[in-house]
Amino acid sequence: MSKKEKPHMNLVVIGHVDHGKSTLVGHLLYELGFVDEKTLKMLEEEAKKRGKESFKYAWLLDKLKEERERGVTIDLTFMKFETPKYYFTIIDAPGHRDFIKNMITGASQADAAILVVSARPGEFESGMSAEGQTREHILLAKTMGIDQIIVAVNKMDATEPPWSEKRYNEIVNTLKKFMKSLGFKVDQIPFIPVSAWTGDNIIKRSENMPWYKGPTLVEALDQLQPPSVEKWMKLPLRIPIQDVYTITGVGTVPVGRVETGVLRVGDKVVFMPPGVGGEVRSIEMHHEKIQEARPGDNIGFNVRGVGKGDIKRGDVAGHPDNPPTVADQFTARVFVIWHPSAIAVGYTPVVHAHTASIACRIIELKQKLDPRTGKVVEENPSFLKAGDAAIVTFKPLKPMVIEKFQDIPPLGRFAMRDMGKTVGIGIVTDVKPMKVEIKLKK
Amino acid sequence: MSEATSEWQISRKQLKELLKELEKWSAPATTLLSLYIPPGRPVGDVMELLRKEMSVADNVKLKKTREAVKAALTAAMDRLKRFDKVPPNGLVIFCGVNPDTEKLECYAFSPPDKVPVFFYRTDKSFHTEFLKDMVEEPEVYGLILVERGKMLVGLLKGSNIEILREATGFIPSKHHRGGQSQRRFDRLIEQAAEAFYKHAGEVASEVLLPYLEQGRLKGVLIGGPAFSKQDFLEAGGLDYRIKQKVLGLYDVADVDEHGFYELVQRGYNEIQGQKYAEALNAMEEFKRHLAKDTGYAVYGKEEVMEALRMGALKSILIPEDHPELEKIKEEAEMYGTKVIPIPEGVPEAEWFKKTFGIAGIKRFK
Ligand SMILES: Nc1nc2c(ncn2[C@@H]2O[C@H](COP(=O)(O)OP(=O)(O)OP(=O)(O)O)[C@@H](O)[C@H]2O)c(=O)[nH]1
Ligand SMILES: [Mg+2]
């Protein structure tokens, strides 16, 4: 079967630092035959030489010297693989708190997530602490619109005793409680006990954990629901840019995922906020030229007259007759998750929406809402605190594309962060656009 | 004439107030006159220049503008005439029609520091930029934010944060291409990253060294995600003298204006007593008491003054431009209460002013 006939899925792998995300992805790709023996052998030797043998699978993803020296993922890695049912792009995200903006970018491009949690004593607990990224990543994934999650309860070889069913149950119960409170349908979520290191329950059913009756990781991947392309196709074209490459022979290639609409070779496109654009010369997906890209497709495309310096991560491509909206101000329904003091007019958190992260100043607190019913409980509150829901107006400090959630949902939701933590989440209810001149190259 | 000269001398505080006033002025046409005369410049030369400008002004087409410029020039010459020698710190003259009163007004004075330039212009607003440095506190902290491919350097000055320079570098992504050239490519990425960190250090040094040489640089805070800070320091671009001034390295995820606020908040322990940092910190404390409804926060002038006189206040937060700032400071001193002026550069300053006017934090309930 040709891969184009299989539906395409984008998967982001999330979880607390060091819980084994990269190792799991590396091992999965190896077992599925998407990494050859020779490459792994070479990495194994190199890792051994530097006393980092346990990172041999992770190094398939962690290619930067900085990442390898520190044993920590910094930026997203995109890899491709197939299962019987799907063609996947897997996005390995960093777990370290300081790189959460990269994780959010990855999550904003995904249809589903694999949450990796370590079962090793102490590690699960630190991920679920107030500062923990297990907690924060689940929340952010939900905020970025991910409803389908597979949970990999990892490092089962390192529980006390190894392969402990009791530990597994303890973890599953804690996670279910937390995820339910965020609105996940926890009964439909597979919780798979695995070892990314030994490979148990990745493809092969584990003999060490006969008590587990559910699907293996690969089986669970095939049980995911395909994204509904038709629904998003009818909306205006929006492609948030994730990175910009320069490729010899082709030139500047912005890459990103088509969120809504359809892009065809020969279309005129414009990148906002910069307002530059031109004709689409070529579109590439999975290293193959294609004529048309649809919602969910992770593509690279080349646009006549648009150079490396013109665009960057966070810009959004669209058609010039219905260009992405650059906000002078936007109003949103926000929920304050955490704040050590109070949020007042003037407060300026970093807003993360699609692939953009821009500091935005709060210029008006319009209404305080009852977080359960959504009813207005106070007009123009003087401040907000943790647990409050409210209608708030923001002014981006730099030009930024954001859309009404009602019009283009994937570009209408955001997270706010400050002091290394997620302060709140929001849904855009209104946008006051800024005039931006569009300059198309001939 | 020495008596007359000292009469023209103004203090930093007077200058600060004057600047605030002058910055409010604006004119529909280029009729506001700014003149800076550095020490040692012969008065006669300057007179000569103004006379020339007077005849140039004859060519201004619009009658109203022409007359306004000529009136400002005449007034400036009239002031200048009173000196036979420029005062030791130089002389500054601003003349123009006050937009509120519609009357011609003139300010001539000798500033607290030496006038650095010779400058003459008529414009839609006054050129006050050469005086700004004189009213600011001389001591500054350097702020550096750095990550792979981006660096910002700025200053924490008396009552605000200023971004001075940005450096960016192109470092290719890791999943750029694979295959045989992968290893060579990985090395190129690494070299690009190292070269960038070094360049970033050089840029930061270039910006901060002048302050160090003037003896004004009290310390440097460095922020950035995870180990970017160490890599930056190890790359060797940062001048060793600046390196010796580093007070601490702090985890900050974003290299942008927001990151600077975080850096100042995180580095608070190293820079206690710095006006802006203290105001940020006091604001956080005040908001915390508000949000948690602890009963420690009081606000509104009457309530605050009453609590002060009962000896109940640990501190008072008050907008920096509050007309009664000095008076309240004097009174607070008697009760051992600390007064913390809130400068406009604090993000919530305007909200604070509008919502509370002034506020206090109690020592006990
Ligand atoms: N014993 C055991 N160790 C594991 C397992 N999975 C991962 N590890 C180890 O955990 C360490 C961290 O693994 P990574 O894959 O780098 O973790 P990560 O979640 O990608 O980390 P970040 O990307 O930095 O957040 C490595 O030493 C792995 O060998 C497992 O199943 N069992
Ligand atoms: Mg990793």
Side-chain angles (χ1 to χ4, degrees):
Chain A
M1 198 154 110
S2 145
K3 57 190 165 201
K4 281 206 200 87
E5 287 158 33
K6 289 184 197 174
H8 178 228
M9 284 277 263
N10 295 290
L11 257 182
V12 66
V13 184
I14 58 175
H16 193 77
V17 68
D18 266 356
H19 277 203
K21 298 175 291 298
S22 302
T23 302
L24 184 70
V25 175
H27 206 145
L28 175 72
L29 292 175
Y30 174 67
E31 296 241 321
L32 287 171
F34 288 85
V35 174
D36 60 82
E37 196 80 39
K38 219 176 82 203
T39 308
L40 191 68
K41 263 258 125 54
M42 200 184 77
L43 282 182
E44 193 171 356
E45 270 162 34
E46 209 168 312
K48 212 181 248 166
K49 225 168 36 203
R50 289 204 245 154
K52 292 240 179 346
E53 206 195 340
S54 76
F55 283 92
K56 66 173 182 185
Y57 290 115
W59 280 14
L60 287 166
L61 294 300
D62 295 342
K63 293 172 188 160
L64 300 174
K65 186 169 143 221
E66 267 178 278
E67 294 179 320
R68 290 187 175 176
E69 269 175 9
R70 273 92 175 201
V72 162
T73 304
I74 295 174
D75 208 348
L76 303 169
T77 312
F78 291 72
M79 301 288 257
K80 328 264 179 200
F81 70 93
E82 299 176 52
T83 58
K85 196 165 151 201
Y86 288 116
Y87 195 86
F88 283 103
T89 298
I90 194 162
I91 310 169
D92 181 36
H96 192 293
R97 173 168 70 96
D98 288 355
F99 303 118
I100 281 200
K101 69 176 165 199
N102 297 341
M103 175 271 164
I104 296 173
T105 298
S108 79
Q109 300 191 298
D111 306 299
I114 300 177
L115 169 70
V116 179
V117 289
S118 169
R120 179 178 271 159
E123 291 191 357
F124 173 69
E125 286 69 20
S126 63
M128 284 302 282
S129 70
E131 305 273 311
Q133 267 64 61
T134 303
R135 229 174 228 288
E136 193 171 14
H137 281 197
I138 297 172
L139 169 74
L140 290 168
K142 182 81 189 164
T143 304
M144 298 321 277
I146 296 177
D147 293 318
Q148 296 193 73
I149 283 198
I150 295 169
V151 179
V153 180
N154 190 29
K155 305 199 188 183
M156 287 302 295
D157 59 301
T159 59
E160 279 167 13
W163 320 107
S164 162
E165 183 180 8
K166 188 162 156 266
R167 176 67 166 163
Y168 167 82
N169 284 331
E170 180 193 10
I171 288 171
V172 171
N173 290 336
T174 310
L175 283 176
K176 275 192 173 168
K177 227 169 53 218
F178 177 65
M179 293 174 80
K180 203 169 162 184
S181 75
L182 293 177
F184 281 102
K185 295 186 183 123
V186 289
D187 296 329
Q188 293 166 19
I189 295 176
F191 291 81
I192 311 169
V194 301
S195 167
W197 184 248
T198 62
D200 284 57
N201 278 342
I202 292 183
I203 293 190
K204 268 213 333 270
R205 190 155 286 281
S206 170
E207 286 166 13
N208 294 309
M209 295 178 279
W211 43 265
Y212 175 71
K213 307 287 184 238
T216 62
L217 183 64
V218 172
E219 284 165 4
L221 288 176
D222 267 351
Q223 285 165 15
L224 289 167
Q225 294 301 310
S228 65
V229 177
E230 275 68 32
K231 183 167 105 192
W232 302 120
M233 263 174 77
K234 297 187 198 106
L235 299 179
L237 177 70
R238 297 292 184 264
I239 311 171
I241 301 309
Q242 184 263 320
D243 204 346
V244 185
Y245 300 165
T246 315
I247 295 180
T248 16
V250 184
T252 300
V253 178
V255 300
R257 168 184 137 113
V258 181
E259 290 292 347
T260 54
V262 177
L263 180 75
R264 294 187 182 84
V265 172
D267 281 4
K268 290 239 163 36
V269 291
V270 60
F271 294 86
M272 302 299 267
V276 297
E279 191 188 297
V280 177
R281 275 203 289 222
S282 61
I283 308 175
E284 201 178 283
M285 181 161 74
H286 315 138
H287 304 295
E288 271 175 42
K289 290 226 176 330
I290 55 175
Q291 287 304 306
E292 181 184 291
R294 299 174 165 208
D297 288 349
N298 232 307
I299 58 166
F301 55 115
N302 176 254
V303 178
R304 196 182 297 272
V306 173
K308 169 92 204 161
D310 296 334
I311 49 175
K312 58 176 192 305
R313 181 186 282 198
D315 293 346
V316 180
H319 287 132
D321 56 350
N322 192 343
T325 312
V326 180
D328 176 44
Q329 300 176 7
F330 63 93
T331 299
R333 197 164 55 238
V334 306
F335 184 72
V336 183
I337 306 228
W338 168 88
H339 197 276
S341 64
I343 291 181
V345 168
Y347 181 63
T348 311
V350 176
V351 166
H352 299 260
H354 53 92
T355 59
S357 41
I358 303 274
C360 296
R361 174 172 295 122
I362 291 181
I363 55 172
E364 192 183 356
L365 300 176
K366 285 177 177 278
Q367 294 166 326
K368 192 146 108 185
L369 310 174
D370 181 320
R372 277 160 305 136
T373 61
K375 275 228 274 299
V376 177
V377 292
E378 191 184 344
E379 294 287 340
N380 297 111
S382 54
F383 61 87
L384 304 175
K385 57 183 195 297
D388 284 348
I391 306 289
V392 175
T393 303
F394 294 84
K395 188 171 178 67
L397 297 193
K398 284 192 189 134
M400 160 184 216
V401 168
I402 201 158
E403 305 278 0
K404 264 199 231 182
F405 182 78
Q406 205 184 358
D407 297 345
I408 305 180
L411 279 79
R413 45 175 149 238
F414 62 88
M416 318 189 269
R417 302 190 85 248
D418 183 26
M419 296 302 274
K421 280 185 160 192
T422 300
V423 170
I425 56 177
I427 294 285
V428 179
T429 54
D430 203 7
V431 178
K432 185 176 156 210
M434 174 194 274
K435 261 219 139 47
V436 177
E437 196 197 339
I438 293 179
K439 299 153 285 202
L440 293 189
K441 297 267 168 64
K442 287 282 145 50
Chain B
M1 287 293 283
S2 69
E3 258 174 32
T5 302
S6 62
E7 218 175 89
W8 298 94
Q9 187 73 44
I10 66 170
S11 71
R12 267 178 228 285
K13 202 167 150 244
Q14 286 168 321
L15 177 61
K16 197 167 172 182
E17 269 150 35
L18 182 62
L19 286 182
K20 228 183 217 155
E21 167 66 21
L22 293 176
E23 276 161 17
K24 285 191 220 146
W25 287 41
S26 69
T30 56
T31 58
L32 298 179
L33 178 151
S34 312
L35 175 64
Y36 287 78
I37 313 170
R41 176 84 48 146
V43 172
D45 291 2
V46 186
M47 269 306 200
E48 187 56 36
L49 172 101
L50 296 184
R51 256 181 235 119
K52 265 196 211 137
E53 288 296 332
M54 195 66 124
S55 53
V56 172
D58 280 332
N59 301 330
V60 175
K61 284 211 183 68
L62 266 173
K63 180 164 175 254
K64 211 171 153 201
T65 310
R66 182 172 63 236
E67 280 177 358
V69 171
K70 289 179 84 166
L73 269 166
T74 310
M77 284 159 77
D78 182 52
R79 295 299 144 107
L80 192 57
K81 244 188 261 163
R82 301 178 197 181
F83 294 83
D84 45 20
K85 200 166 155 261
V86 172
N89 273 351
L91 189 65
V92 182
I93 298 178
F94 294 112
C95 291
V97 173
N98 185 330
D100 290 337
T101 61
E102 297 189 8
K103 285 212 180 84
L104 181 73
E105 283 178 32
C106 238
Y107 298 87
F109 56 88
S110 185
D113 295 322
K114 286 192 169 59
V115 173
V117 289
F118 182 75
F119 179 92
Y120 165 84
R121 193 160 304 166
T122 50
D123 214 330
K124 290 181 177 172
S125 56
F126 287 127
H127 283 264
T128 55
E129 60 266 31
F130 307 108
L131 296 168
K132 280 266 171 65
D133 260 1
M134 300 180 191
V135 296
E136 269 169 0
E137 267 158 59
E139 285 179 342
V140 299
Y141 289 90
L143 304 176
I144 300 173
L145 287 175
V146 63
E147 67 182 354
R148 277 175 81 89
K150 190 166 178 209
M151 189 273 298
L152 281 182
V153 52
L155 286 180
L156 175 59
K157 281 178 156 178
S159 55
N160 68 327
I161 292 174
E162 216 172 282
I163 300 180
L164 295 181
R165 196 92 78 76
E166 177 177 341
T168 50
F170 173 57
I171 302 172
S173 328
K174 59 178 169 177
H175 35 85
H176 205 93
R177 65 162 76 254
Q180 297 171 325
S181 54
Q182 184 67 52
R183 281 170 148 249
R184 191 176 57 87
F185 195 74
D186 290 346
R187 211 163 308 127
L188 286 179
I189 293 181
E190 234 15 81
Q191 281 166 3
E194 272 160 34
F196 171 73
Y197 280 132
K198 178 143 190 259
H199 170 67
E202 288 161 1
V203 172
S205 306
E206 195 182 306
V207 170
L208 296 178
L209 274 175
Y211 295 93
L212 183 119
E213 277 157 8
Q214 292 164 17
R216 296 170 63 191
L217 189 70
K218 272 199 90 177
V220 176
L221 305 179
I222 302 184
F227 15 79
S228 59
K229 286 118 22 199
Q230 279 83 10
D231 290 347
F232 167 73
L233 283 177
E234 280 162 21
L238 195 65
D239 191 281
Y240 74 97
R241 289 166 289 172
I242 304 283
K243 221 168 165 176
Q244 285 168 349
K245 289 276 179 188
V246 173
L247 300 172
L249 307 181
Y250 304 90
D251 286 346
V252 172
D254 299 286
V255 176
D256 60 12
E257 49 272 81
H258 178 267
F260 275 138
Y261 287 115
E262 270 194 34
L263 183 58
V264 170
Q265 274 171 283
R266 290 197 191 279
Y268 181 65
N269 283 336
E270 298 338 301
I271 55 175
Q272 269 186 40
Q274 201 284 338
K275 250 174 62 183
Y276 181 81
E278 204 159 76
L280 267 191
N281 199 57
M283 183 66 80
E284 271 309 300
E285 189 181 354
F286 173 65
K287 286 193 303 167
R288 195 161 53 236
H289 288 303
L290 272 186
K292 304 243 155 85
D293 204 8
T294 57
Y296 279 84
V298 283
Y299 42 82
K301 171 130 187 265
E302 262 168 44
E303 286 83 346
V304 170
M305 293 316 277
E306 194 187 315
L308 173 69
R309 284 165 194 152
M310 280 165 42
L313 290 188
K314 185 178 84 169
S315 54
I316 292 179
L317 285 67
I318 176 166
E320 198 181 41
D321 58 357
H322 196 286
E324 288 177 274
L325 174 64
E326 289 308 315
K327 211 179 107 209
I328 291 174
K329 231 184 201 163
E330 267 169 37
E331 195 167 346
E333 211 161 283
M334 300 195 305
Y335 299 98
T337 301
K338 194 166 178 182
V339 173
I340 301 168
I342 305 294
E344 275 168 33
V346 168
E348 294 94 347
E350 211 186 304
W351 162 79
F352 176 80
K353 199 161 148 180
K354 271 197 203 145
T355 319
F356 305 102
I358 78 174
I361 297 171
K362 290 195 196 169
R363 297 182 220 265
F364 47 79
K365 263 198 271 198

